[in-house]
Amino acid sequence: MVDYLDRGRSRPRRHATPATLPGRTLMRIPRLSRPLLLTILVPIGGGILMLMLVLIAFESARGVAIEEQERKAEEIVELTASTIEELWIAPRREAIETLADSRTLERRIEGQVPFDALAREWRVAEDLLRGYFFIYYGLRDGTIEYYPDGELPEDFDPRGRPWYEAGMSAEGGPAWTSPYEEAITGETVVSTAAPIDQGGERIGVISTDIQFDGLKAILEHIELPTGGSVFLVDESGRPFIGTDAAYIGRDRLPPSGEELFVASSEPMSNGWRASVTIPRPHLAESFADLLQPIMVASVLILLIGGGITSLLVGRTASRAYRLAGYFQRTLEQDAPLQEVFRTRDEFSLLNERFNEVLDQARRTAEHRLAQERAFRFLVEQAPVGFFKTNRQGELLYINPHCASLLGYTQDEAMREIVSVRELYADGTDRDRFLEELLAHGEVRNRKMQFLKRCGETFWISMTARLREDTTAGGAGDLELEGFLVDVTKEVEERESLVQMAERDPLTGAGNRRAFDTAAEAVAERAHATGQQVALIVFDVDHFKAINDTYGHDAGDALLRQIAELGRYRLREGDLFARLGGDEFAVLLPGTSHEAATRLAERLRADVRGMPLPGPVPEPPTLSLGIAVRAGGEVQIPALFKAADSAMYEAKQAGRDRWSTG
């Protein structure tokens, strides 16, 4: 993206002008039979010499044309891959992600809605995004439901199908299969599959079978030289669709060689590549058409050489030398294009064709250079940070805004930042970032903490991609380039809002709102799964007396210590919340009565043994109420009322104990 940074200034275009060349070279002939030399040796020798020079010049110009055609073919491959990624792969990836996150699918798996409700939702997806063959899901117990209708084989097991294996092992988004035979129709399809997660566990896969009609339409509209073909190959390099059936189904395309030019794109997001094959003789067809007239003219000169005078042979040889010299100077020294000959003959035609090809190549180079200059201006002036590094972390380029975010000028950053690893507040962030980047080729909007030059930390959002360095001497090394923006304010505001919305400001425990939200979700899961739910409600005995005697600071310190002890004792998935004053609640999904009573006893013992703040002479005690319900009996208001009543029973029984309700 920033190759232009090391390139020179563009050159002004030079238009063709009449050539001013040295006079013709005189040939020295050995003193043998002058008439024989003049009538045989001179014409034949001159004709052979001219032919050699023409062929050399022809091959030189043809090489330039072939290189240009190869470059265009490589651009076509990348454009094809980009088109397929944007118009074909990305919409289908987004569609399967939407279907996997469907609330209707979740409710269908839980048995809350009939399949017709899910099929109606899938029918909308089919209408919006053409090319779906089947939409279906399979679960770990072998269950499968699909749309539209079809008859599966009697022994069909979804868990052995390619789409199921791909979806269950997917990481970071939907997975794509290689082409395989669909079970109902026998047609060759590919599938995109996404895992179905429930309660933190992967329980199945939702997938779609996709036909190749849309891909074929894209490939068939690509224009290539005569005999050229375009293909899509899977992750293993196997061509599975293309405009030449001869290669479909082979293990891989043939390598690029003397007879065949082969080029492939960078991998798309699902691992596919676009590839082209072009017979090398067709890379410069116009030159091939020109070769025959040149050869015929040269042979005629040889046949009638006996009748041509030494002056004519000398003149012809001189013209060939002049043209070859012009070709060489123009290519090696980037000299202005010229009309070496004003006459309309073979030399002039070759001169004209050479000028056209070279002028087109120069125009293309100048256009690219102009685009790169415009891009450089935008990058230098952009209000976002732009950077480029190699895989080892050495900084190759940084724009002024990015350097300013880090506390440097652009020149200081290039001199003083030895490795970008030193910019990460946590070095493991870069390791994880690189791991994901190497796996997917691109990472978007990753939030991390960076260090400024002064040591201050701040939050950034980074979008980056990998690219291969194809500049001279690059040897295909991987480079990283991307953008970053300062999102410190956004992160801090979001964290503050979350803290205010769900956390008790004194103890850091969940507040009443967090408790109510979690309790509703736990009750819903219990109704669906039949699991037990335990609730412990407790408060601090004689807490008002502690506040009145030793002050509110001491009371607040006690509440913070109790909250810390409570969080320490809980499992992942449990909730410890302060409901108000000195009253707390502990919500325990999937917990038996015995486990709840053991936890209550531990909490009571922990509080009696904790260090005391300031002037408080004796540890406080707790009165705890426990309520346990299962399945449909889990109604949060009733559960809370039972636990609260049990807590008051514990108080009436003498405090510093627990009771169940």
Side-chain angles (χ1 to χ4, degrees):
M1 184 179 293
V2 291
D3 292 345
Y4 59 82
L5 293 171
D6 297 323
R7 297 183 180 175
R9 298 190 298 271
S10 65
R11 306 178 185 88
R13 178 165 297 128
R14 303 178 174 99
H15 300 284
T17 57
T20 302
L21 299 174
R24 52 179 177 268
T25 303
L26 298 178
M27 299 180 61
R28 302 187 65 178
I29 309 298
R31 287 191 174 274
L32 298 175
S33 171
R34 185 179 295 274
L36 183 61
L37 291 174
L38 292 175
T39 57
I40 299 176
L41 297 181
V42 173
I44 293 176
I48 293 174
L49 182 60
M50 182 194 70
L51 180 59
M52 291 175 60
L53 292 174
V54 169
L55 289 177
I56 291 173
F58 175 81
E59 286 302 321
S60 177
R62 181 173 178 272
V64 173
I66 288 176
E67 289 178 1
E68 179 67 15
Q69 290 284 348
E70 290 177 351
R71 186 190 61 77
K72 287 184 177 180
E74 291 170 351
E75 290 180 352
I76 289 174
V77 161
E78 293 297 337
L79 181 60
T80 300
S82 175
T83 301
I84 291 174
E85 175 72 36
E86 294 180 9
L87 301 182
W88 205 87
I89 293 175
R92 286 156 178 80
R93 181 178 62 245
E94 294 171 2
I96 195 64
E97 288 176 338
T98 301
L99 293 176
D101 293 336
S102 167
R103 174 61 179 157
T104 306
L105 173 62
E106 179 182 347
R107 296 179 65 197
R108 173 56 188 161
I109 293 174
E110 294 174 352
Q112 298 179 11
V113 298
F115 179 69
D116 287 346
L118 186 59
R120 284 194 300 272
E121 187 175 278
W122 287 355
R123 193 176 298 116
V124 173
E126 178 189 32
D127 293 339
L128 293 176
L129 192 56
R130 298 298 180 186
Y132 281 88
F133 195 67
F134 280 104
I135 306 176
Y136 47 87
Y137 73 88
L139 303 180
R140 294 179 67 172
D141 61 2
T143 300
I144 181 169
E145 291 186 311
Y146 55 93
Y147 171 85
D149 292 334
E151 186 173 351
L152 288 169
E154 292 184 2
D155 59 348
F156 181 84
D157 188 340
R159 294 166 295 187
R161 300 298 289 170
W163 56 267
Y164 187 88
E165 295 175 358
M168 290 298 283
S169 59
E171 296 181 3
W176 291 72
T177 67
S178 297
Y180 68 94
E181 188 175 282
E182 197 275 320
I184 295 179
T185 65
E187 292 193 27
T188 299
V189 297
V190 295
S191 295
T192 176
I196 303 173
D197 295 329
Q198 189 176 79
E201 180 183 1
R202 188 160 291 184
I203 64 169
V205 174
I206 182 169
S207 181
T208 63
D209 293 338
I210 307 172
Q211 297 169 305
F212 297 147
D213 294 345
L215 287 174
K216 289 179 180 178
I218 294 174
L219 299 182
E220 289 171 355
H221 282 82
I222 297 173
E223 295 184 1
L224 293 171
T226 304
S229 302
V230 61
F231 304 90
L232 284 181
V233 300
D234 61 20
E235 290 181 288
S236 64
R238 184 191 304 271
F240 62 91
I241 184 173
T243 56
D244 185 352
Y247 292 116
I248 304 303
R250 295 189 182 182
D251 288 339
R252 60 185 62 255
L253 293 174
S256 188
E258 294 183 1
E259 299 297 326
L260 190 66
F261 172 74
V262 181
S264 298
S265 71
E266 292 294 318
M268 296 176 238
S269 63
N270 62 353
W272 294 355
R273 296 174 186 262
S275 301
V276 297
T277 61
I278 304 173
R280 287 198 180 275
H282 295 157
L283 285 175
E285 292 177 321
S286 61
F287 280 86
D289 295 338
L290 183 61
L291 180 59
Q292 184 176 359
I294 295 175
M295 295 297 296
V296 170
S298 300
V299 170
L300 288 177
I301 292 174
L302 290 174
L303 292 177
I304 65 174
I308 300 176
T309 64
S310 58
L311 180 62
L312 182 59
V313 173
R315 181 175 180 273
T316 302
S318 175
R319 290 164 64 83
Y321 274 115
R322 290 170 62 195
L323 187 59
Y326 164 68
F327 286 171
Q328 184 174 5
R329 286 192 305 275
T330 305
L331 291 174
E332 294 181 354
Q333 304 175 13
D334 199 20
L337 299 180
Q338 300 174 344
E339 293 180 7
V340 180
F341 306 110
R342 296 183 180 277
T343 56
R344 307 307 299 174
D345 54 15
E346 290 81 359
F347 293 103
S348 178
L349 179 60
L350 186 58
N351 185 182
E352 180 181 344
R353 293 291 175 85
F354 175 82
N355 288 351
E356 290 174 358
V357 171
L358 193 56
D359 184 61
Q360 182 179 359
R362 289 179 176 178
R363 289 174 183 270
T364 302
E366 290 176 1
H367 178 67
R368 179 180 296 174
L369 189 58
Q371 289 181 321
E372 291 171 350
R373 284 176 170 169
F375 183 75
R376 177 172 185 166
F377 175 79
L378 292 176
V379 167
E380 293 286 339
Q381 302 300 321
V384 296
F386 179 83
F387 65 92
K388 177 178 177 183
T389 73
N390 60 21
R391 186 173 176 178
Q392 291 72 37
E394 296 174 349
L395 190 62
L396 303 179
Y397 173 75
I398 186 169
N399 74 344
H401 185 80
C402 189
S404 177
L405 288 178
L406 299 171
Y408 298 88
T409 66
Q410 188 178 29
D411 291 339
E412 288 172 343
M414 293 299 296
R415 288 195 313 269
E416 298 179 18
I417 299 178
V418 178
S419 171
V420 294
R421 178 178 289 273
E422 65 192 55
L423 301 177
Y424 289 78
D426 182 353
T428 59
D429 280 347
R430 184 172 190 268
D431 296 334
R432 290 192 293 269
F433 183 77
L434 279 181
E435 182 178 345
E436 184 176 349
L437 196 61
L438 290 171
H440 304 289
E442 182 180 69
V443 176
R444 295 188 178 184
N445 301 320
R446 171 63 65 83
K447 291 182 175 61
M448 296 174 286
Q449 276 192 308
F450 264 33
L451 290 171
K452 293 187 178 182
R453 187 182 190 182
C454 62
E456 177 186 347
T457 62
F458 69 109
W459 284 93
I460 59 99
S461 175
M462 184 186 300
T463 295
R465 68 165 186 168
L466 285 178
R467 65 185 295 274
E468 187 173 355
D469 178 17
T470 56
T471 58
D477 292 336
L478 289 178
E479 294 181 350
L480 185 153
E481 60 185 12
F483 296 88
L484 60 85
V485 293
D486 185 347
V487 293
T488 302
K489 184 177 181 181
E490 174 188 336
V491 171
E492 290 176 348
E493 288 179 351
R494 183 170 64 250
E495 290 179 351
S496 176
L497 290 174
V498 171
Q499 185 74 14
M500 292 173 60
E502 298 184 352
R503 293 293 171 188
D504 172 51
L506 174 63
T507 65
N511 60 15
R512 185 60 181 257
R513 176 178 178 179
F515 174 82
D516 291 341
T517 301
E520 182 180 346
V522 168
E524 186 175 345
R525 285 198 301 273
H527 296 166
T529 62
Q531 72 174 6
Q532 288 183 311
V533 176
L535 175 64
I536 301 175
V537 175
F538 68 89
D539 66 9
V540 182
D541 295 331
H542 304 298
F543 183 72
K544 184 176 185 301
I546 294 174
N547 267 344
D548 293 343
T549 304
Y550 304 108
H552 288 279
D553 289 343
D556 290 348
L558 279 177
L559 294 179
R560 284 193 291 268
Q561 287 181 266
I562 292 171
E564 184 63 28
L565 289 174
R567 288 196 295 273
Y568 173 75
R569 284 292 184 186
L570 298 191
R571 309 163 301 177
E572 184 176 356
D574 297 342
L575 176 66
F576 187 91
R578 181 189 179 203
L579 303 183
D582 62 326
E583 186 177 8
F584 295 86
V586 185
L587 186 63
L588 305 166
T591 301
S592 66
H593 182 273
E594 292 75 11
T597 57
R598 285 196 300 269
L599 176 61
E601 182 60 31
R602 289 194 194 100
L603 288 174
R604 189 181 70 84
D606 287 345
V607 171
R608 288 183 62 86
M610 71 182 185
L612 298 176
V616 179
E618 296 181 357
T621 60
L622 302 181
S623 295
L624 304 99
I626 305 169
V628 181
R629 302 290 186 270
E633 296 181 357
V634 180
Q635 304 294 331
I636 297 303
L639 188 65
F640 188 85
K641 183 177 180 181
D644 196 52
S645 297
M647 179 184 71
Y648 280 102
E649 289 178 6
K651 285 184 177 295
Q652 292 173 357
R655 295 184 171 84
D656 190 18
R657 66 194 65 216
W658 52 264
S659 179
T660 61

